[in-house]
């Protein structure tokens, strides 16, 4: 049985988010007013950004592990971000004491997963860090060429999407804590955010595959 790839998992997560979108449209078309159906859109927004975050964590962990365990790489040829990645001596000792290479690699993968999940890969800066771990250079400028626009436009759009996600997740999208009024959200807004994230991750997946063809 073929294991799902990171992009497969991302697409599956986006499909779950889309199910919320379909539910919202159904309720709206049938004039359901017993609940605030806009909350479905807010949940969808959080899931969309979360799908990107999950993808980046998984693909970066896989590629970091592949680079470290590739015997053709020496310390001097490691990507800058990976060369400066912090690792406790206790973890190094645990890996060193493992009897077989399989055990060593499993412990390394487990360590990378644990430490990477301390970070959120959603903002421009955090994506820069993620790309530096696996040697993907000039990510935003190359993306801008592909999309025929400037990098500031792309970064600003991502920043707005992530900021709205954070407001929804941490403030329930409330704009007035006296009246508990929430910021308006329409289906078209969510669709636009989803399309942007899906397009961004698709480009990222292709770019990582091209620039790190050694690490399959």
């Amino acid at each position: 049985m073929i294991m799902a790839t990171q992009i497969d998992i991302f697409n599956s997560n986006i499909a779950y988010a889309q199910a919320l979108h379909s539910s919202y449209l159904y309720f709206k078309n049938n004039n359901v007013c017993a609940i605030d159906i806009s909350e479905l859109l807010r949940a969808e927004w959080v899931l969309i950004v979360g799908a990107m975050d999950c993808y980046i964590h998984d693909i970066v962990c896989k590629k970091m592990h592949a680079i470290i365990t590739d015997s053709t790489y020496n310390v001097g040829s490691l990507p800058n971000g990976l060369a400066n990645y912090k690792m406790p001596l206790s973890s190094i000792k645990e890996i060193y004491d493992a009897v077989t290479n399989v055990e060593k690699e499993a412990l390394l993968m487990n360590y990378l997963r644990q430490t990477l999940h301390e970070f959120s890969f959603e903002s421009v800066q955090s994506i820069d860090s993620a790309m530096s771990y696996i040697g993907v250079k000039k990510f935003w400028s190359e993306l801008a060429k592909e999309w025929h626009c400037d990098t500031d436009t792309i970064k600003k759009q991502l920043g707005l999407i992530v900021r709205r996600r954070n407001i929804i997740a941490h403030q329930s999208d409330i704009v007035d804590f006296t009246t508990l009024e929430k910021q308006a959200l329409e289906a078209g807004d969510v669709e636009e955010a989803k399309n942007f994230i899906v397009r961004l991750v698709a480009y990222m997946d292709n770019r990582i595959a091209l620039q790190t063809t050694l690490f399959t």
Side-chain angles (χ1 to χ4, degrees):
M1 185 176 179
I2 300 174
M3 290 185 63
T5 65
Q6 285 73 35
I7 196 67
D8 289 336
I9 296 169
F10 170 78
N11 289 332
S12 176
N13 288 334
I14 289 295
Y16 283 118
Q18 184 62 41
L20 288 177
H21 200 86
S22 298
S23 297
Y24 169 84
L25 294 176
Y26 175 82
F27 288 144
K28 183 177 182 181
N29 292 335
N30 287 276
N31 297 315
V32 174
C33 56
I35 60 170
D36 180 1
I37 61 174
S38 67
E39 294 298 345
L40 292 170
L41 296 179
R42 293 187 179 90
E44 182 186 1
W45 195 292
V46 172
L47 287 176
I48 290 166
V49 177
M52 177 186 69
D53 188 32
C54 177
Y55 165 81
I56 297 174
H57 274 100
D58 289 348
I59 196 72
V60 168
C61 184
K62 177 185 175 184
K63 299 303 182 184
M64 287 173 70
H65 186 272
I67 295 170
I68 294 169
T69 56
D70 189 332
S71 60
T72 63
Y73 270 76
N74 56 45
V75 173
S77 61
L78 291 175
N80 288 337
L82 184 55
N84 294 298
Y85 198 78
K86 306 301 181 186
M87 188 170 188
L89 288 176
S90 57
S91 298
I92 295 173
K93 175 73 168 126
E94 185 179 12
I95 294 172
Y96 179 81
D97 287 344
V99 177
T100 67
N101 286 336
V102 172
E103 291 174 314
K104 292 179 189 293
E105 291 189 11
L107 286 168
L108 174 62
M109 179 63 85
N110 185 57
Y111 173 78
L112 291 174
R113 282 201 184 101
Q114 288 179 345
T115 54
L116 284 172
H117 277 87
E118 295 176 3
F119 309 111
S120 172
F121 291 126
E122 297 172 355
S123 67
V124 169
Q125 293 77 13
S126 62
I127 291 175
D128 284 339
S129 295
M131 296 301 103
S132 76
Y133 295 151
I134 58 176
V136 174
K137 300 177 180 178
K138 300 180 180 179
F139 177 78
W140 299 107
S141 58
E142 292 300 318
L143 173 59
K145 288 180 185 177
E146 180 80 13
W147 287 8
H148 305 290
C149 63
D150 60 88
T151 58
D152 286 344
T153 298
I154 298 171
K155 291 179 178 181
K156 181 179 179 181
Q157 181 66 19
L158 177 61
L160 290 172
I161 291 171
V162 173
R163 182 175 182 274
R164 185 65 184 272
R165 177 266 171 203
N166 291 338
I167 292 172
I168 293 170
H170 303 301
Q171 298 176 205
S172 300
D173 218 18
I174 295 172
V175 292
D176 188 328
F177 282 90
T178 301
T179 64
L180 300 184
E181 177 188 356
K182 294 194 175 187
Q183 188 173 347
L185 185 59
E186 301 294 333
D189 300 328
V190 184
E191 192 72 18
E192 183 179 347
K194 183 194 72 176
N195 291 339
F196 178 91
I197 294 296
V198 168
R199 194 179 175 203
L200 175 64
V201 171
Y203 171 82
M204 187 181 297
D205 195 64
N206 289 331
R207 180 69 187 283
I208 290 173
L210 286 172
Q211 195 151 339
T212 61
T213 50
L214 242 117
F215 323 125
T216 56

